[in-house]
Amino acid sequence: MKTSVVRYGGVHQALSGARTMDVTGHRAEYEFEWKYLERSEWMWLEALHLRHIPGPFALLNPLRKNRLSASASSLIPTSVTGVGLDLTRYTYSWDNSYPADELAGPGVRALRLDSWTSVGVGHMRFDGFRPTAVRVGEQITASVWLKAPADPSALLALDYTDRDGNQVTSPPWEAQAVTSAWARYSITKTVPAGVAGVRFAVLTGAAAPAMSMAAPQVELGPAPTSWEPGGAAPRVLIDQLASTSPIFPLTDCSLTLLEA
């Protein structure tokens, strides 16, 4: 498998020669090659390519482990149509601190929740408008680093969705006592039948003080491991499917996928 991450945006050059760069986003491209596919295997790929099975499709990339999007893992706030951090009833700013722990990975700033904009509770959903792809029977661990000045409580949850992204159930939220020092908090669940996606969320009370968060991750396994940027479960579109038949009825083919 060949993977490349393409930067989208523009490079502008001033009269002085100085350059500035506008980055609108990054998207991955994937290339696969197979040899001697059986007829049934080839027909499955062709059905995807011809949109007989409509996309976009969820790709579980074994070369990466953080199944959140790159935007969500970097705490980039999102609109109702995008991936990233969905903030409800919160205003935010950037906290120029980061957990001094090798498990938190590289980083220089965290996102700070400053206040809420309506009465009640607020929540932060990571990729709230695009559930994180999972498989039935997998043990999934979601984690995030938190700190707050007044030791409030926070609730962590993994809501379950079906393959169409509709929420089907919400397991019990798990309370966590957040301290004034950076610490990692996690929740682990086993994916039940009928579930194709999860939404990792953090909820705080209406009187919660300013809370900072960093390095969110959703991964396979019973416990959190060292953080890495997201991108292990992108939504993809099939761009090209080329084939040859060296020995009938076996098929060689190459497949190109574009991150949606």
Side-chain angles (χ1 to χ4, degrees):
M1 184 178 72
K2 178 181 178 181
T3 304
S4 58
V5 178
V6 180
R7 173 192 59 82
Y8 290 93
V11 178
H12 312 284
Q13 188 167 358
L15 293 176
S16 65
R19 293 187 178 95
T20 59
M21 180 180 293
D22 295 328
V23 179
T24 58
H26 295 82
R27 288 295 184 269
E29 298 180 3
Y30 306 88
E31 296 180 20
F32 297 85
E33 289 190 4
W34 288 279
K35 300 289 186 182
Y36 306 118
L37 292 181
E38 299 288 345
R39 190 65 180 170
S40 59
E41 296 171 322
W42 161 249
M43 287 178 61
W44 174 258
L45 292 176
E46 189 176 40
L48 299 178
H49 178 51
L50 296 177
R51 276 57 176 180
H52 176 68
I53 302 174
F57 310 103
L59 175 68
L60 297 183
N61 183 355
L63 303 180
R64 307 183 69 91
K65 64 180 176 181
N66 192 348
R67 294 192 185 181
L68 293 177
S69 69
S71 295
S73 67
S74 296
L75 298 174
I76 304 301
T78 182
S79 66
V80 296
T81 59
V83 296
L85 180 62
D86 168 30
L87 296 172
T88 298
R89 301 187 181 128
Y90 282 115
T91 60
Y92 68 91
S93 61
W94 294 105
D95 179 352
N96 292 319
S97 68
Y98 199 79
D101 191 306
E102 62 180 11
L103 292 179
V108 296
R109 68 178 186 176
L111 185 135
R112 181 174 58 229
L113 306 170
D114 293 318
S115 64
W116 52 97
T117 57
S118 62
V119 177
V121 295
H123 63 258
M124 295 75 68
R125 284 197 174 99
F126 304 94
D127 291 330
F129 300 99
R130 194 194 70 182
T132 302
V134 294
R135 302 170 72 179
V136 172
E138 287 185 326
Q139 197 172 27
I140 297 295
T141 296
S143 60
V144 64
W145 291 78
L146 300 172
K147 72 170 184 176
D151 298 346
S153 62
L155 298 174
L156 302 186
L158 276 176
D159 296 329
Y160 295 150
T161 66
D162 59 20
R163 67 180 185 179
D164 296 318
N166 301 314
Q167 185 168 324
V168 293
T169 184
S170 180
W173 293 63
E174 296 187 8
Q176 310 283 344
V178 181
T179 68
S180 58
W182 281 114
R184 196 179 203 181
Y185 303 88
S186 65
I187 181 173
T188 301
K189 299 293 182 183
T190 299
V191 180
V195 171
V198 296
R199 288 192 181 100
F200 180 32
V202 179
L203 181 142
T204 64
M211 180 182 294
S212 297
M213 63 174 60
Q217 182 156 277
V218 174
E219 60 186 302
L220 181 66
T225 61
S226 59
W227 178 88
E228 68 174 33
R235 295 290 178 90
V236 296
L237 303 168
I238 293 181
D239 182 37
Q240 300 293 334
L241 179 64
S243 65
T244 58
S245 181
I247 303 174
F248 181 82
L250 303 180
T251 302
D252 295 349
C253 74
S254 61
L255 174 69
T256 303
L257 303 177
L258 304 177
E259 185 178 358

